Amino acid sequence: HITGGGLAENLERVLPDGCRALLRRGWPEPPAFGWLKRLGDIDEAEMDRVFNRGVGFVLVVERGFETAVVDTLRAENVEPFPLGEIAEGGR
């Protein structure tokens, strides 16, 4: 569950030492976030940290299990989208 601190701080908490999350922009962002950004003149980093760009829940899935997890979510009428991948390296 993504709470205060945004994606960066929340993902960091669940990853073992020696791993980092590589996020790829482009997931479906609710239109209200663009409106909030413009209205409040909020910079990109603050949008990420405070609003998570519309991401409220993240699953970190072991390689090879992605299809099974996606199929299970879709069977429950939840449409997942990829955020990136986990790689070796510092957080």
Side-chain angles (χ1 to χ4, degrees), residues 5-85:
L7 288 167
E9 287 181 25
N10 283 271
L11 281 174
E12 187 174 285
R13 281 184 267 224
V14 301
L15 297 177
D17 289 335
C19 289
R20 63 186 176 143
L22 303 173
L23 301 179
R24 283 185 229 106
R25 298 268 182 210
W27 57 82
E29 184 177 313
F33 291 105
W35 176 80
L36 281 170
K37 182 181 183 328
R38 287 188 306 278
L39 184 69
D41 192 28
I42 304 169
D43 69 31
E44 297 293 325
E46 188 73 354
M47 288 295 297
D48 288 344
R49 190 183 69 74
V50 174
F51 297 109
N52 312 319
R53 302 295 182 141
V55 177
F57 199 86
V58 172
L59 299 175
V60 178
V61 178
E62 185 176 345
R63 192 175 308 271
F65 290 92
E66 307 95 69
T67 300
V69 170
V70 167
D71 290 347
T72 299
L73 290 168
R74 286 184 175 150
E76 296 296 326
N77 296 314
V78 175
E79 187 57 40
F81 49 88
L83 290 176
E85 62 186 78

